[in-house]
Amino acid sequence: MSTLSRLFTAINKRYKALDEDIDVSDYIQPHALNIKVEHEPFNHIVIDNFFKEDFLEELTRYYQTIFSKGLVDDHTEKERFHLFEKKINYDGYVFSPEVTQEEPLKLFFSVAWNQFFSDMFNKPTTFGTSFALHHHPIGDKAGWVHHDYATYTFPYKLVLPNGVTGTRGEAGKVTLTPTEEKTKNVQQKRTIALIFYFNNPEWKEGDGGETGLYTSKSEDSLVKKVAPVNNRLLAFDVSPQSFHAFQENNTDRNSFVQWFHVDLEWAENKYGFL
């Protein structure tokens, strides 16, 4: 993407963000607006006391409402927390909500939220996003060391009025032209990742469930553990070097995860054809 193209993309995002009438500062604490990116072992930020209390409470109630429906083993069950597919090699349960412009999830499917992290890491992003709630019951095994630099396919039919493209459901369905129908699935690369910890017991040393940050695929290259403290956000720049892994937990761990994406061409020009 040329410099001019990125400029037009940024302008368009900000314009749509203004149309949304969403101000990120209404949701997050003032100190979170001026956080500095840490660079080792890769670009990331850790922000404690991230969301304002009233929004955190609303988000927690939403999580508990979904969780109260129970856990199922069938990964094809989409209306409750279900086990990850075995091929993912990851313990725990996941729930992916419908794309929505209703509270409390409205923020996460907004252009303003996308733009906030795009600016933070100085990276272009598309309107494509993936969002899910995670639950790890006691004793989940440590995850494999990986980097999240993966390709995701977005269906055009999930475009919201603000231009954001989601990952499931029929919200904001649009009518496709014959040409669009042929090319309705768009592949993009993950470029920024978020993990937000909430609805957890008060964390203490030995509880586990941290997110480990590594310098390579080797488990011996662990340099930092980010504990799942309530109302803590971990965000990082996704690249072929952003190695991380879930650490075995001795108490329940709950979170939401989200990814922003970028065009394949931009990612391949920056990181190569991986």
Side-chain angles (χ1 to χ4, degrees):
M1 184 182 290
S2 69
T3 301
L4 187 59
S5 296
R6 286 196 294 270
L7 178 61
F8 279 128
T9 299
I11 291 172
N12 188 42
K13 280 187 178 181
R14 293 183 188 280
Y15 172 74
K16 290 193 174 187
L18 290 173
D19 277 357
E20 289 175 332
D21 194 28
I22 287 182
D23 187 340
V24 172
S25 65
D26 290 339
Y27 296 84
I28 68 178
Q29 298 283 11
H31 68 269
L33 296 170
N34 298 296
I35 200 74
K36 290 185 177 181
V37 175
E38 299 180 53
H39 301 295
E40 298 296 335
F42 48 82
N43 291 345
H44 70 281
I45 56 109
V46 178
I47 309 176
D48 287 336
N49 191 25
F50 182 71
F51 284 124
K52 293 182 176 179
E53 284 301 318
D54 55 348
F55 181 68
L56 178 63
E57 290 175 3
E58 187 176 3
L59 187 62
T60 301
R61 284 194 298 271
Y62 171 79
Y63 186 103
Q64 292 171 346
T65 297
I66 302 300
F67 189 79
S68 68
K69 297 178 182 178
L71 308 174
V72 295
D73 293 344
D74 182 3
H75 72 262
T76 64
E77 165 67 72
K78 302 301 183 184
E79 302 309 315
R80 289 182 286 174
F81 276 95
H82 57 83
L83 281 176
F84 284 94
E85 293 185 57
K86 290 183 179 179
K87 67 179 182 180
I88 297 178
N89 190 31
Y90 189 57
D91 272 356
Y93 294 82
V94 60
F95 172 76
S96 299
E98 298 282 358
V99 180
T100 181
Q101 289 187 304
E102 301 297 324
E103 297 289 8
L105 302 186
K106 176 180 179 180
L107 172 68
F108 308 121
F109 295 109
S110 71
V111 179
W113 179 249
N114 178 315
Q115 187 75 51
F116 178 72
F117 291 99
S118 176
D119 289 347
M120 178 181 294
F121 289 100
N122 194 28
K123 298 185 77 174
T125 56
T126 65
F127 291 154
T129 190
S130 308
F131 180 94
L133 305 178
H134 283 192
H135 169 68
H136 290 278
I138 295 173
D140 272 1
K141 66 183 180 183
W144 81 112
V145 181
H146 62 291
H147 52 51
D148 273 10
Y149 184 66
T151 302
Y152 194 91
T153 302
F154 287 95
Y156 275 152
K157 70 178 181 179
L158 301 185
V159 178
L160 293 174
N162 62 352
V164 173
T165 305
T167 56
R168 70 181 285 256
E170 296 297 320
K173 185 174 181 180
V174 297
T175 302
L176 302 177
T177 67
T179 301
E180 289 172 326
E181 196 70 58
K182 294 177 183 178
T183 60
K184 65 182 180 181
N185 291 330
V186 176
Q187 290 190 321
Q188 299 177 0
K189 283 285 189 183
R190 291 173 175 172
T191 191
I192 298 171
L194 314 180
I195 305 176
F196 179 72
Y197 312 103
F198 70 120
N199 193 44
N200 294 306
E202 184 175 349
W203 191 88
K204 61 184 183 299
E205 196 67 39
D207 285 344
E210 304 98 329
T211 301
L213 307 184
Y214 299 74
T215 58
S216 73
K217 277 188 177 181
S218 170
E219 294 181 358
D220 296 331
S221 68
L222 176 67
V223 297
K224 183 175 185 176
K225 290 183 180 181
V226 180
V229 173
N230 279 326
N231 205 9
R232 168 177 284 176
L233 176 76
L234 165 64
F236 58 88
D237 181 349
V238 174
S239 77
Q241 286 76 47
S242 57
F243 294 105
H244 62 285
F246 170 78
Q247 310 295 296
E248 185 174 349
N249 58 316
N250 299 310
T251 187
D252 284 358
R253 194 197 85 164
N254 301 310
S255 63
F256 76 65
V257 298
Q258 184 169 18
W259 291 276
F260 300 111
H261 298 75
V262 72
D263 292 331
L264 281 178
E265 182 182 1
W266 186 93
E268 290 165 350
N269 285 337
K270 183 172 180 64
Y271 299 119
F273 294 84
L274 298 181

